[in-house]
Amino acid sequence: MGQKPTLKNVAQLAGVSEMTASRVLRGVGDVSDRTKEKVKTAARELGYVPNRIAGGLASRSVNLVAVIVPSIRNYVFPEVLTGISDALAESELQPVFGVSNYDLEQEERVINDMLSWQPQGIILAGLHHTEAAQKMLEAANIPIIEIMDCDGDPIDMCIGISHRQAGQDMARLIMERGYRKIGFVGTQMPLDFRAQKRLEGFKSELAQNDMQLSDEIYYDARSSIAKGRDMTVTLMERSPDLDCLYYSSDLLAVGGLMHCMTSGLSIPDDIALAGFNGLDMLDGLPTRLATTHVPRYEIGLRAAKAILARKENPDMPLKDKMQLLDISTEMADTL
Amino acid sequence: MGQKPTLKNVAQLAGVSEMTASRVLRGVGDVSDRTKEKVKTAARELGYVPNRIAGGLASRSVNLVAVIVPSIRNYVFPEVLTGISDALAESELQPVFGVSNYDLEQEERVINDMLSWQPQGIILAGLHHTEAAQKMLEAANIPIIEIMDCDGDPIDMCIGISHRQAGQDMARLIMERGYRKIGFVGTQMPLDFRAQKRLEGFKSELAQNDMQLSDEIYYDARSSIAKGRDMTVTLMERSPDLDCLYYSSDLLAVGGLMHCMTSGLSIPDDIALAGFNGLDMLDGLPTRLATTHVPRYEIGLRAAKAILARKENPDMPLKDKMQLLDISTEMADTL
DNA sequence: GTGAAAGCGCTAACAC
DNA sequence: GTGTTAGCGCTTTCAC
């Protein structure tokens, strides 16, 4: 198990030059079938694995796309990543994932790390970055796709939804249904700009109709069903006259739903519920939860395709600078 | 936005040699405070981002750990990845994630890709690989940590649980509780070796007691709550006398639970349910589901630490070759 | 404390 | 169809 075999070793064993071996292994240029065979056999025999570090340096390009998301445990992002992977699967580009933990400083570090690998493009969640990160991205001279959130100005290109709009839409529906004592349940507010924007949109729409939230409750941790249930209990004890609850995420809302099911509350007569995301999980529940469907997979798919498109045609088509995808608000059984 | 600045540019602007600039930027060697300052200022001014491709080639080492999992959408793996990230966060090593889609051929391709980046170590799920993949891994001459599944022989080191044991344990408990007409609900059987091993363990334990599964149902797709509900309905219509259902995953079992809740079945009197994984999600449900708790985060944590440890001390301590973690079977309300 | 020379393993560009 | 030359951007080594 001595030293790892290099292209030189393969070339020597095959009795050809390094260049020829390189051509065969990469499948480029014209090489006779006979030499092809010799090189391939030699490579197999040695268990040769090309060194992309060297290859990347020589060709001054690596087929990487950097992808940075706030969290990987949040059910939302794995679907976005899947969209990205699927879109890149047919190309020679490869995604590399990094996580920022909803922390702008950490995001900056991750961006720097990623950039140091000289990727072909970068996809990252959100429009908010540190000043230094912003500068690095602008200077990188590669396609930058900011995803998920389109309420603001992208550095380069933006693919996502309007979270403000999502909040407004839900507020309007809730008011149309006649609810008047509305409570809000959220987590991770200071960390999650998108949840904040939904809440802002929600509140502003209420205000337009001379209404406001009757009560709000926040918890600074990861969303979970259990947390949603506990917060619902606390909030309803504190404000028993609430007739509708808007949650910052489906996971929390499912917790509320579970609470209602066990405590015998009738939905939506005793209390109405609404979440956000449109998680697949909702399909399996006994009651269909009102929510806003977000095309997560589609966002990932488009972001990756945008990078692919830019590789072909480096002149940015300005009209597509901002791709605002449709969201659909579902009333379902709980509103 | 011309050419990306290189170390040379930084050195020139700072009026020092490339070598000195390199030392400052990496924080190694003795450099006077005055030159340090000059270099740092120059780097900042140019927006210099080091080229790790070049650095890696020169130093013949990159601080990467390759991590390959079958899926990122399965709720299990994000937690493993989080454990890995957390363990590596304090080190200078960085994880790179790849996905095999429960496909051995694709896994082989991903392993090859990963290895071509010359990582310091590799963490991958399962003990089953193609012959070619096996060879590449053996030849790589770096720590190989196979995680999740410890029923078999690792290439190098193995950290996980015995899925066979998990199946056996659950079968024993179910029999102890007096259930006699047992059904099984599973997905993705041919693709998921670990689910297979659980089922084997489960069946063999039944056989030990002269029992066998009364009915089984499989579906070849991603697990989901909705799928679990639908399959439960189908199975119970087909075999109405079943008194207990064992699911290949919690997600499916939750679907069964939802079905029972809506159709007014009493648990565990009408039907008992058991899942596998111990997902956090279960904490929020109205009924506590019987399940096997798997220390997913811990597995990731240990795998990463094993690689860190090997960097310090390259002589493999053979006694730790196999780290079998404890699993706990929870009876809860549904058994 | 700093610098000069050499080279990591590969590929672009050109010659033959 | 194949080989030669040069060099990617950085770090190692050794000299001063």
Side-chain angles (χ1 to χ4, degrees):
Chain A
M1 226 202 246
Q3 218 34 56
K4 267 182 223 151
T6 68
L7 186 60
K8 194 183 201 165
N9 301 323
V10 175
Q12 279 169 349
L13 184 59
V16 299
S17 71
E18 285 187 54
M19 203 50 237
T20 302
S22 170
R23 281 197 268 255
V24 174
L25 266 13
R26 282 180 300 151
V28 301
D30 282 328
V31 184
S32 73
D33 286 350
R34 188 153 149 46
T35 28
K36 259 188 201 151
E37 209 41 61
K38 281 195 298 185
V39 172
K40 282 184 182 164
T41 309
R44 210 174 306 120
E45 200 159 317
L46 293 173
Y48 173 71
V49 177
N51 183 337
R52 284 228 249 171
I53 304 276
L57 182 59
S59 65
R60 266 171 302 177
S61 88
V62 291
N63 294 319
L64 296 179
V65 175
V67 181
I68 301 172
V69 293
S71 160
I72 204 174
R73 305 183 77 172
N74 188 320
Y75 296 157
V76 166
F77 295 105
E79 298 192 38
V80 178
L81 300 186
T82 303
I84 293 172
S85 292
D86 286 357
L88 297 181
E90 304 137 34
S91 76
E92 77 285 13
L93 291 185
Q94 216 174 67
V96 189
F97 302 121
V99 175
S100 71
N101 269 319
Y102 289 99
D103 176 348
L104 258 34
E105 300 294 328
Q106 194 173 332
E107 188 195 53
E108 179 186 322
R109 252 170 284 133
V110 176
I111 289 173
N112 194 296
D113 275 350
M114 292 292 192
L115 251 23
S116 74
W117 289 106
Q118 321 291 121
Q120 300 278 329
I122 182 162
I123 298 173
L124 70 174
L127 296 164
H128 304 267
H129 317 289
T130 66
E131 211 173 310
Q134 193 96 10
K135 281 216 177 101
M136 285 193 292
L137 292 169
E138 283 165 6
N141 209 12
I142 53 174
I144 313 287
I145 319 291
E146 289 167 287
I147 58 170
M148 310 312 289
D149 179 5
C150 282
D151 294 316
D153 288 321
I155 295 174
D156 180 14
M157 195 171 187
C158 177
I159 299 177
I161 66 159
S162 167
H163 287 262
R164 263 199 138 268
Q165 188 67 50
Q168 286 173 5
D169 289 354
M170 191 56 89
R172 199 167 336 100
L173 284 174
I174 285 174
M175 289 186 292
E176 278 173 19
R177 291 272 163 143
Y179 300 105
R180 287 295 174 267
K181 303 289 287 180
I182 302 163
F184 182 82
V185 181
T187 46
Q188 292 187 316
M189 283 296 121
L191 306 161
D192 186 339
F193 296 102
R194 292 173 285 287
Q196 261 179 27
K197 287 175 179 175
R198 292 196 294 279
L199 179 55
E200 278 167 26
F202 192 84
K203 281 181 171 171
S204 81
E205 189 71 21
L206 291 187
Q208 289 265 328
N209 292 268
D210 299 317
M211 284 181 56
Q212 56 180 40
L213 284 180
S214 299
D215 199 355
E216 325 172 30
I217 184 169
Y218 301 95
Y219 189 84
D220 183 16
R222 243 160 52 80
S223 286
S224 73
I225 296 179
K227 188 52 65 187
R229 193 192 50 195
D230 295 348
M231 289 167 77
T232 302
V233 170
T234 305
L235 188 66
M236 291 181 71
E237 269 174 9
R238 193 163 80 187
S239 302
D241 57 340
L242 292 173
D243 58 10
C244 178
L245 299 178
Y246 182 42
Y247 295 81
S248 72
S249 81
D250 281 347
L251 223 47
L252 294 175
V254 169
L257 185 62
M258 291 300 146
H259 165 65
C260 294
M261 286 176 65
T262 46
S263 59
L265 287 169
S266 160
I267 302 173
D269 296 332
D270 293 331
I271 187 83
L273 306 174
F276 175 84
N277 266 332
L279 294 183
D280 293 348
M281 172 194 299
L282 304 185
D283 295 339
L285 302 183
T287 308
R288 272 214 76 79
L289 184 73
T291 190
T292 305
H293 288 275
V294 180
R296 296 177 291 280
Y297 178 86
E298 176 78 14
I299 288 175
L301 206 67
R302 288 208 194 192
K305 283 189 175 161
I307 291 195
L308 252 19
R310 284 282 213 81
K311 265 196 80 180
E312 311 289 282
N313 173 20
D315 322 316
M316 182 177 72
L318 258 184
K319 70 174 174 62
D320 283 350
K321 192 172 156 61
M322 175 94 80
Q323 287 187 31
L324 199 65
L325 303 198
D326 284 341
I327 47 178
S328 61
T329 311
E330 182 184 351
M331 316 282 280
D333 308 326
T334 64
L335 212 58
Chain B
M1 227 203 248
Q3 218 35 54
K4 267 182 223 152
T6 69
L7 187 59
K8 195 183 201 167
N9 302 323
V10 175
Q12 279 169 348
L13 185 58
V16 298
S17 72
E18 282 187 55
M19 203 47 243
T20 302
S22 169
R23 280 197 267 258
V24 174
L25 265 15
R26 282 180 300 150
V28 301
D30 281 328
V31 184
S32 73
D33 286 351
R34 187 153 151 44
T35 27
K36 258 187 200 153
E37 208 40 62
K38 281 195 299 187
V39 172
K40 282 184 181 164
T41 309
R44 209 174 307 121
E45 199 160 316
L46 292 173
Y48 173 70
V49 177
N51 183 334
R52 284 228 250 170
I53 305 276
L57 182 59
S59 64
R60 267 170 299 177
S61 89
V62 292
N63 293 318
L64 296 180
V65 175
V67 181
I68 302 172
V69 294
S71 160
I72 203 175
R73 303 182 79 172
N74 186 321
Y75 296 157
V76 165
F77 296 105
E79 299 192 37
V80 178
L81 301 186
T82 304
I84 293 172
S85 292
D86 286 357
L88 296 182
E90 304 138 32
S91 76
E92 77 285 14
L93 290 184
Q94 217 173 68
V96 189
F97 303 120
V99 176
S100 71
N101 269 321
Y102 290 97
D103 176 348
L104 258 33
E105 300 293 329
Q106 195 174 330
E107 189 195 52
E108 179 185 322
R109 252 170 285 132
V110 176
I111 289 172
N112 194 297
D113 275 350
M114 291 293 191
L115 251 23
S116 74
W117 289 105
Q118 320 290 123
Q120 300 279 329
I122 182 163
I123 298 173
L124 71 173
L127 296 163
H128 304 265
H129 318 289
T130 66
E131 211 173 311
Q134 194 96 11
K135 281 218 177 96
M136 284 194 292
L137 291 170
E138 283 164 6
N141 208 13
I142 51 174
I144 313 288
I145 319 289
E146 288 167 287
I147 57 170
M148 308 314 288
D149 179 3
C150 283
D151 294 316
D153 288 322
I155 295 174
D156 179 13
M157 195 171 186
C158 177
I159 299 177
I161 66 160
S162 166
H163 287 262
R164 262 199 138 266
Q165 187 67 51
Q168 285 174 6
D169 289 354
M170 191 57 90
R172 198 165 339 100
L173 284 175
I174 287 173
M175 289 186 292
E176 278 172 19
R177 290 272 163 144
Y179 299 105
R180 288 293 173 269
K181 303 289 286 181
I182 303 162
F184 181 83
V185 181
T187 46
Q188 290 188 318
M189 281 297 119
L191 306 161
D192 187 339
F193 296 103
R194 291 173 284 288
Q196 263 180 25
K197 287 176 179 174
R198 291 196 294 278
L199 179 55
E200 279 167 26
F202 191 85
K203 282 181 171 170
S204 80
E205 189 70 20
L206 292 186
Q208 288 266 327
N209 294 269
D210 299 318
M211 286 180 56
Q212 57 179 38
L213 283 179
S214 299
D215 200 356
E216 327 172 30
I217 184 169
Y218 301 96
Y219 189 83
D220 184 16
R222 244 160 51 80
S223 285
S224 72
I225 295 178
K227 189 52 67 185
R229 194 192 50 195
D230 295 349
M231 289 167 76
T232 301
V233 170
T234 306
L235 188 66
M236 290 182 71
E237 269 174 12
R238 194 163 80 187
S239 302
D241 56 342
L242 292 174
D243 57 11
C244 179
L245 299 178
Y246 182 42
Y247 295 83
S248 73
S249 79
D250 282 346
L251 222 47
L252 294 175
V254 169
L257 184 61
M258 292 298 145
H259 165 65
C260 293
M261 286 176 65
T262 45
S263 59
L265 287 168
S266 161
I267 301 173
D269 297 333
D270 293 330
I271 186 85
L273 307 173
F276 175 84
N277 266 334
L279 294 183
D280 293 346
M281 173 195 297
L282 303 185
D283 294 340
L285 301 183
T287 308
R288 272 212 76 79
L289 185 73
T291 190
T292 304
H293 289 276
V294 180
R296 297 178 289 281
Y297 179 84
E298 177 77 14
I299 288 175
L301 208 65
R302 287 209 196 192
K305 283 188 176 162
I307 291 195
L308 253 18
R310 283 285 211 79
K311 265 195 81 182
E312 311 288 284
N313 173 20
D315 322 316
M316 184 177 69
L318 258 183
K319 68 173 175 64
D320 284 350
K321 194 173 155 61
M322 177 94 80
Q323 288 186 32
L324 199 65
L325 303 197
D326 285 341
I327 47 177
S328 62
T329 312
E330 181 184 352
M331 316 281 280
D333 308 328
T334 65
L335 213 59

